[in-house]
Amino acid sequence: MALCATPTLEFADVRLEQLGQKHSADRSDLVARGGLDRVWFAKTPSAQGMDTEIERRLALQVEGKMAPFAILDLRSNKVVGATTYLNIDAANRRVEIGSTFLGLAHQGTGINVAAKYLLLQRAFEELDCIAVAFCTHWHNQQSREAIARLGAKQDGVLRNHMYDPRTGTLRDTVVFSILPHEWPTVKQGLLARLAKHGRV
C-alpha cells in the first residue's frame, strides 16, 4: 500500500480526505480570519497563495513524497484545516506527520487529536511504518508541547537546519518520533483525550 495514497479516513466526527482545489476557498478563509500566515516561525500558506500551495502538495504526492489531506469536522461538515504525511521514505517505511494547520475556532476541540489518531493508526496498523516523525521550529513552543502530549519522544535538535527567506533567519528544528512498540500506549492516550472532548 503506497504511503503517498490518501484514502478517506474517519473517526470521532473527523474526516481526512484527499486534499484538492475544492478545499482552497475554505482553507484560505481559515487562514485569513485567524491570521495564521503571520506567525513568523510557522509555514502556513497565505490565503492568496493557497491555490499554489495545494498544487505544490499535489505535485509532491505524484512524486511519492507527500500524502496531503484536508481535515473536515463532520459535526459542521466544514473544512477546518489540513495535514500531511511528508518526507516519505518508502524504502524504510518512515513518514513525518506535519504541514498541519487548524482554524483558530477549532483548536482545542479534539479535532487535531482525532486527525493525529487517524494518521498514526494508518501508519502503524496499515502501512507497517517503523517510525513516524514530527518536526517543528525551536521557537514554536505550542507545537512542541502539542507533539509531546501526543506521546512522541524528542529525538534531538537539528541546529541551523533550514534557512527561511521570509525572515532571513535560520531555523533550529526539533525532531520527535513515535515507534511501533510505543503506538499501543500512545493510542490509549489519544482515545482518553478524545473521550474528554466527547468525541468517543
Tab-separated table of all heavy atoms in Angstrom, residues 2-40:
chain	number	residue	atom	x	y	z
A	2	ALA	N	0.658	2.143	-0.946
A	2	ALA	CA	1.525	3.305	-1.108
A	2	ALA	C	1.383	4.278	0.051
A	2	ALA	O	0.266	4.629	0.444
A	2	ALA	CB	1.212	4.004	-2.415
A	3	LEU	N	2.510	4.733	0.564
A	3	LEU	CA	2.485	5.695	1.661
A	3	LEU	C	1.950	7.047	1.209
A	3	LEU	O	1.507	7.846	2.031
A	3	LEU	CB	3.879	5.856	2.266
A	3	LEU	CG	4.272	4.840	3.348
A	3	LEU	CD1	4.426	3.443	2.763
A	3	LEU	CD2	5.561	5.258	4.043
A	4	CYS	N	1.988	7.316	-0.087
A	4	CYS	CA	1.508	8.614	-0.574
A	4	CYS	C	0.022	8.579	-0.947
A	4	CYS	O	-0.528	9.594	-1.382
A	4	CYS	CB	2.337	9.086	-1.765
A	4	CYS	SG	2.269	7.981	-3.187
A	5	ALA	N	-0.642	7.439	-0.766
A	5	ALA	CA	-2.080	7.363	-1.039
A	5	ALA	C	-2.845	8.124	0.040
A	5	ALA	O	-2.389	8.259	1.174
A	5	ALA	CB	-2.525	5.909	-1.087
A	6	THR	N	-4.031	8.614	-0.321
A	6	THR	CA	-4.832	9.403	0.622
A	6	THR	C	-6.273	8.882	0.662
A	6	THR	O	-7.205	9.558	0.211
A	6	THR	CB	-4.828	10.892	0.233
A	6	THR	OG1	-5.125	10.996	-1.175
A	6	THR	CG2	-3.491	11.545	0.523
A	7	PRO	N	-6.471	7.693	1.215
A	7	PRO	CA	-7.838	7.194	1.357
A	7	PRO	C	-8.599	8.041	2.373
A	7	PRO	O	-7.996	8.664	3.249
A	7	PRO	CB	-7.629	5.771	1.877
A	7	PRO	CG	-6.341	5.842	2.624
A	7	PRO	CD	-5.487	6.800	1.840
A	8	THR	N	-9.895	8.063	2.265
A	8	THR	CA	-10.714	8.792	3.239
A	8	THR	C	-10.676	8.045	4.568
A	8	THR	O	-10.901	6.841	4.630
A	8	THR	CB	-12.159	8.927	2.746
A	8	THR	OG1	-12.153	9.677	1.521
A	8	THR	CG2	-13.028	9.640	3.775
A	9	LEU	N	-10.371	8.786	5.637
A	9	LEU	CA	-10.281	8.221	6.980
A	9	LEU	C	-11.264	8.966	7.876
A	9	LEU	O	-11.330	10.197	7.824
A	9	LEU	CB	-8.855	8.386	7.536
A	9	LEU	CG	-7.701	7.873	6.659
A	9	LEU	CD1	-6.357	8.279	7.260
A	9	LEU	CD2	-7.778	6.364	6.489
A	10	GLU	N	-12.005	8.232	8.699
A	10	GLU	CA	-12.981	8.870	9.582
A	10	GLU	C	-12.926	8.270	10.979
A	10	GLU	O	-12.810	7.060	11.134
A	10	GLU	CB	-14.409	8.712	9.039
A	10	GLU	CG	-14.714	9.541	7.823
A	10	GLU	CD	-16.184	9.487	7.439
A	10	GLU	OE1	-16.999	8.999	8.257
A	10	GLU	OE2	-16.523	9.932	6.328
A	11	PHE	N	-13.017	9.148	11.967
A	11	PHE	CA	-13.100	8.721	13.364
A	11	PHE	C	-13.446	9.934	14.207
A	11	PHE	O	-12.992	11.046	13.934
A	11	PHE	CB	-11.765	8.116	13.833
A	11	PHE	CG	-11.805	7.555	15.230
A	11	PHE	CD1	-12.587	6.453	15.529
A	11	PHE	CD2	-11.068	8.144	16.248
A	11	PHE	CE1	-12.635	5.932	16.813
A	11	PHE	CE2	-11.098	7.625	17.534
A	11	PHE	CZ	-11.889	6.519	17.820
A	12	ALA	N	-14.242	9.735	15.236
A	12	ALA	CA	-14.548	10.769	16.232
A	12	ALA	C	-15.079	12.049	15.595
A	12	ALA	O	-14.710	13.165	15.974
A	12	ALA	CB	-13.298	11.070	17.076
A	13	ASP	N	-15.963	11.895	14.594
A	13	ASP	CA	-16.585	13.032	13.903
A	13	ASP	C	-15.588	13.890	13.135
A	13	ASP	O	-15.815	15.090	12.922
A	13	ASP	CB	-17.370	13.918	14.881
A	13	ASP	CG	-18.594	13.217	15.444
A	13	ASP	OD1	-19.162	12.360	14.732
A	13	ASP	OD2	-18.968	13.513	16.595
A	14	VAL	N	-14.479	13.268	12.719
A	14	VAL	CA	-13.475	13.956	11.905
A	14	VAL	C	-13.206	13.107	10.671
A	14	VAL	O	-13.109	11.886	10.761
A	14	VAL	CB	-12.172	14.178	12.701
A	14	VAL	CG1	-11.060	14.705	11.796
A	14	VAL	CG2	-12.420	15.152	13.848
A	15	ARG	N	-13.104	13.771	9.530
A	15	ARG	CA	-12.770	13.073	8.293
A	15	ARG	C	-11.495	13.659	7.699
A	15	ARG	O	-11.350	14.887	7.626
A	15	ARG	CB	-13.892	13.190	7.271
A	15	ARG	CG	-13.539	12.550	5.899
A	15	ARG	CD	-14.571	12.869	4.835
A	15	ARG	NE	-15.851	12.296	5.180
A	15	ARG	CZ	-17.030	12.867	4.911
A	15	ARG	NH1	-17.073	14.037	4.318
A	15	ARG	NH2	-18.147	12.264	5.258
A	16	LEU	N	-10.600	12.787	7.263
A	16	LEU	CA	-9.456	13.185	6.454
A	16	LEU	C	-9.724	12.687	5.045
A	16	LEU	O	-10.057	11.516	4.850
A	16	LEU	CB	-8.155	12.574	6.984
A	16	LEU	CG	-7.763	12.874	8.431
A	16	LEU	CD1	-6.389	12.290	8.735
A	16	LEU	CD2	-7.785	14.360	8.727
A	17	GLU	N	-9.584	13.578	4.076
A	17	GLU	CA	-9.806	13.191	2.690
A	17	GLU	C	-8.753	13.842	1.803
A	17	GLU	O	-8.079	14.795	2.202
A	17	GLU	CB	-11.217	13.575	2.229
A	17	GLU	CG	-11.480	15.069	2.189
A	17	GLU	CD	-12.915	15.409	1.767
A	17	GLU	OE1	-13.828	14.609	2.047
A	17	GLU	OE2	-13.106	16.476	1.151
A	18	GLN	N	-8.628	13.300	0.594
A	18	GLN	CA	-7.656	13.822	-0.364
A	18	GLN	C	-7.793	15.337	-0.516
A	18	GLN	O	-8.872	15.848	-0.794
A	18	GLN	CB	-7.865	13.148	-1.722
A	18	GLN	CG	-7.097	13.781	-2.879
A	18	GLN	CD	-5.607	13.541	-2.811
A	18	GLN	OE1	-5.164	12.397	-2.759
A	18	GLN	NE2	-4.805	14.601	-2.806
A	19	LEU	N	-6.692	16.041	-0.305
A	19	LEU	CA	-6.674	17.487	-0.499
A	19	LEU	C	-6.814	17.808	-1.979
A	19	LEU	O	-6.217	17.144	-2.828
A	19	LEU	CB	-5.356	18.058	0.036
A	19	LEU	CG	-5.159	19.560	-0.115
A	19	LEU	CD1	-6.134	20.321	0.760
A	19	LEU	CD2	-3.725	19.942	0.227
A	20	GLY	N	-7.598	18.826	-2.283
A	20	GLY	CA	-7.758	19.255	-3.670
A	20	GLY	C	-8.130	20.719	-3.738
A	20	GLY	O	-8.346	21.383	-2.717
A	21	GLN	N	-8.223	21.227	-4.954
A	21	GLN	CA	-8.551	22.643	-5.128
A	21	GLN	C	-9.951	22.973	-4.612
A	21	GLN	O	-10.236	24.128	-4.295
A	21	GLN	CB	-8.415	23.039	-6.602
A	21	GLN	CG	-6.982	23.156	-7.087
A	21	GLN	CD	-6.181	24.228	-6.369
A	21	GLN	OE1	-6.722	25.048	-5.633
A	21	GLN	NE2	-4.872	24.213	-6.562
A	22	LYS	N	-10.823	21.967	-4.488
A	22	LYS	CA	-12.162	22.247	-3.944
A	22	LYS	C	-12.105	22.722	-2.496
A	22	LYS	O	-13.063	23.293	-1.983
A	22	LYS	CB	-13.042	21.005	-4.052
A	22	LYS	CG	-12.624	19.852	-3.143
A	22	LYS	CD	-13.569	18.669	-3.270
A	22	LYS	CE	-13.205	17.544	-2.314
A	22	LYS	NZ	-14.142	16.403	-2.411
A	23	HIS	N	-10.950	22.477	-1.831
A	23	HIS	CA	-10.791	22.904	-0.434
A	23	HIS	C	-10.141	24.279	-0.309
A	23	HIS	O	-10.009	24.804	0.796
A	23	HIS	CB	-9.924	21.890	0.327
A	23	HIS	CG	-10.465	20.491	0.295
A	23	HIS	ND1	-9.816	19.463	-0.339
A	23	HIS	CD2	-11.589	19.966	0.818
A	23	HIS	CE1	-10.522	18.348	-0.204
A	23	HIS	NE2	-11.603	18.626	0.482
A	24	SER	N	-9.736	24.864	-1.432
A	24	SER	CA	-8.930	26.083	-1.391
A	24	SER	C	-9.647	27.254	-0.724
A	24	SER	O	-9.083	27.935	0.138
A	24	SER	CB	-8.505	26.474	-2.810
A	24	SER	OG	-7.726	27.653	-2.785
A	25	ALA	N	-10.892	27.508	-1.103
A	25	ALA	CA	-11.603	28.677	-0.571
A	25	ALA	C	-11.787	28.575	0.933
A	25	ALA	O	-11.551	29.549	1.665
A	25	ALA	CB	-12.957	28.827	-1.267
A	26	ASP	N	-12.187	27.398	1.426
A	26	ASP	CA	-12.382	27.218	2.870
A	26	ASP	C	-11.073	27.372	3.622
A	26	ASP	O	-11.029	28.000	4.694
A	26	ASP	CB	-12.981	25.840	3.159
A	26	ASP	CG	-14.441	25.738	2.731
A	26	ASP	OD1	-15.091	26.787	2.619
A	26	ASP	OD2	-14.907	24.615	2.513
A	27	ARG	N	-10.000	26.784	3.082
A	27	ARG	CA	-8.688	26.898	3.741
A	27	ARG	C	-8.207	28.342	3.749
A	27	ARG	O	-7.664	28.813	4.746
A	27	ARG	CB	-7.672	25.992	3.043
A	27	ARG	CG	-7.822	24.516	3.371
A	27	ARG	CD	-7.047	23.640	2.397
A	27	ARG	NE	-5.751	24.184	2.058
A	27	ARG	CZ	-4.580	23.670	2.465
A	27	ARG	NH1	-4.574	22.608	3.254
A	27	ARG	NH2	-3.438	24.194	2.095
A	28	SER	N	-8.411	29.045	2.648
A	28	SER	CA	-7.999	30.450	2.572
A	28	SER	C	-8.729	31.288	3.610
A	28	SER	O	-8.136	32.155	4.264
A	28	SER	CB	-8.268	31.011	1.168
A	28	SER	OG	-7.494	30.340	0.205
A	29	ASP	N	-10.024	31.025	3.776
A	29	ASP	CA	-10.831	31.764	4.750
A	29	ASP	C	-10.338	31.508	6.169
A	29	ASP	O	-10.240	32.435	6.985
A	29	ASP	CB	-12.298	31.351	4.611
A	29	ASP	CG	-13.204	32.166	5.520
A	29	ASP	OD1	-13.158	33.405	5.447
A	29	ASP	OD2	-13.942	31.556	6.315
A	30	LEU	N	-9.996	30.251	6.479
A	30	LEU	CA	-9.487	29.915	7.813
A	30	LEU	C	-8.197	30.672	8.119
A	30	LEU	O	-8.004	31.193	9.214
A	30	LEU	CB	-9.225	28.411	7.911
A	30	LEU	CG	-10.440	27.491	7.960
A	30	LEU	CD1	-10.000	26.044	7.810
A	30	LEU	CD2	-11.207	27.686	9.262
A	31	VAL	N	-7.304	30.704	7.131
A	31	VAL	CA	-6.019	31.380	7.320
A	31	VAL	C	-6.217	32.878	7.478
A	31	VAL	O	-5.647	33.510	8.377
A	31	VAL	CB	-5.075	31.083	6.128
A	31	VAL	CG1	-3.843	31.981	6.185
A	31	VAL	CG2	-4.661	29.621	6.144
A	32	ALA	N	-7.037	33.462	6.609
A	32	ALA	CA	-7.250	34.910	6.644
A	32	ALA	C	-7.901	35.355	7.950
A	32	ALA	O	-7.481	36.339	8.569
A	32	ALA	CB	-8.102	35.331	5.456
A	33	ARG	N	-8.928	34.634	8.395
A	33	ARG	CA	-9.646	35.025	9.615
A	33	ARG	C	-8.794	34.847	10.861
A	33	ARG	O	-8.910	35.608	11.810
A	33	ARG	CB	-10.944	34.217	9.744
A	33	ARG	CG	-12.056	34.738	8.864
A	33	ARG	CD	-13.399	34.110	9.185
A	33	ARG	NE	-13.480	32.734	8.743
A	33	ARG	CZ	-13.663	31.693	9.533
A	33	ARG	NH1	-13.773	31.853	10.837
A	33	ARG	NH2	-13.734	30.468	9.050
A	34	GLY	N	-7.931	33.842	10.845
A	34	GLY	CA	-7.111	33.571	12.024
A	34	GLY	C	-5.741	34.206	12.004
A	34	GLY	O	-5.007	34.142	12.991
A	35	GLY	N	-5.369	34.821	10.869
A	35	GLY	CA	-4.029	35.395	10.755
A	35	GLY	C	-2.944	34.343	10.907
A	35	GLY	O	-1.830	34.636	11.361
A	36	LEU	N	-3.251	33.111	10.511
A	36	LEU	CA	-2.318	32.002	10.738
A	36	LEU	C	-1.027	32.147	9.941
A	36	LEU	O	0.013	31.615	10.337
A	36	LEU	CB	-3.001	30.669	10.381
A	36	LEU	CG	-4.276	30.328	11.167
A	36	LEU	CD1	-4.879	29.027	10.662
A	36	LEU	CD2	-3.985	30.242	12.657
A	37	ASP	N	-1.085	32.857	8.824
A	37	ASP	CA	0.106	33.005	7.985
A	37	ASP	C	1.035	34.099	8.481
A	37	ASP	O	2.102	34.318	7.903
A	37	ASP	CB	-0.302	33.274	6.534
A	37	ASP	CG	-1.173	34.507	6.386
A	37	ASP	OD1	-1.874	34.856	7.357
A	37	ASP	OD2	-1.157	35.125	5.308
A	38	ARG	N	0.656	34.790	9.564
A	38	ARG	CA	1.503	35.874	10.085
A	38	ARG	C	2.416	35.414	11.228
A	38	ARG	O	3.186	36.214	11.761
A	38	ARG	CB	0.628	37.045	10.546
A	38	ARG	CG	-0.122	37.717	9.396
A	38	ARG	CD	-0.649	39.075	9.790
A	38	ARG	NE	-1.659	39.012	10.833
A	38	ARG	CZ	-2.963	38.872	10.611
A	38	ARG	NH1	-3.416	38.764	9.371
A	38	ARG	NH2	-3.824	38.838	11.612
A	39	VAL	N	2.310	34.143	11.616
A	39	VAL	CA	3.187	33.615	12.663
A	39	VAL	C	4.555	33.350	12.034
A	39	VAL	O	4.681	32.512	11.141
A	39	VAL	CB	2.602	32.315	13.256
A	39	VAL	CG1	3.513	31.774	14.336
A	39	VAL	CG2	1.200	32.571	13.803
A	40	TRP	N	5.573	34.066	12.482
A	40	TRP	CA	6.858	34.077	11.777
A	40	TRP	C	7.568	32.731	11.772
A	40	TRP	O	8.328	32.417	10.855
A	40	TRP	CB	7.788	35.153	12.355
A	40	TRP	CG	8.337	34.842	13.723
A	40	TRP	CD1	7.764	35.132	14.911
A	40	TRP	CD2	9.561	34.186	14.029
A	40	TRP	NE1	8.541	34.694	15.952
A	40	TRP	CE2	9.655	34.116	15.443
A	40	TRP	CE3	10.592	33.650	13.266
A	40	TRP	CZ2	10.740	33.522	16.093
A	40	TRP	CZ3	11.679	33.056	13.905
A	40	TRP	CH2	11.740	33.001	15.301
